[in-house]
Amino acid sequence: MLVEFSLFPLDKGESVGQYVARSLDIVAHCGLPYKVHAMGTVIEGDWNACFGVIKQCFEAMRKDCGRVELSVKVDDRAGRLHRLEEKVASIEHRLGRVLHHA
């Protein structure tokens, strides 16, 4: 399963990078494959693992943020693994070229 999430405080002004960085540190140490992009993070794993990581991130942010926004999007395809890389590779194959991605 792929889970994309975006988590940030609404009560800390315009620059919230220090709060987002704490969540990304949790993700980086969770042991699941992940990709960070400008508007969120995608992690790959089973339901409990993915949502366990999101819960840790949410709880860490709630420690000193009074208002938090969390958006989650799930793509679950039975019997398929390593989709974090495969989905992009499939589109690149169809286009016949490599897409720019971080």
Side-chain angles (χ1 to χ4, degrees), residues 1-61:
M1 143 181 318
L2 297 177
V3 180
E4 179 179 43
F5 74 103
S6 175
L7 174 66
F8 53 91
L10 295 174
D11 62 342
K12 299 298 182 185
E14 288 184 25
S15 181
V16 295
Q18 72 184 52
Y19 303 98
V20 173
R22 289 191 299 201
S23 291
L24 294 176
D25 191 46
I26 291 168
V27 171
H29 290 94
C30 75
L32 298 175
Y34 70 94
K35 291 237 182 218
V36 176
H37 57 86
M39 299 295 290
T41 302
V42 181
I43 54 179
E44 183 171 18
D46 67 32
W47 181 275
N48 290 333
C50 290
F51 281 90
V53 170
I54 293 170
K55 181 180 178 185
Q56 288 178 49
C57 294
F58 183 83
E59 289 174 347
M61 192 166 293

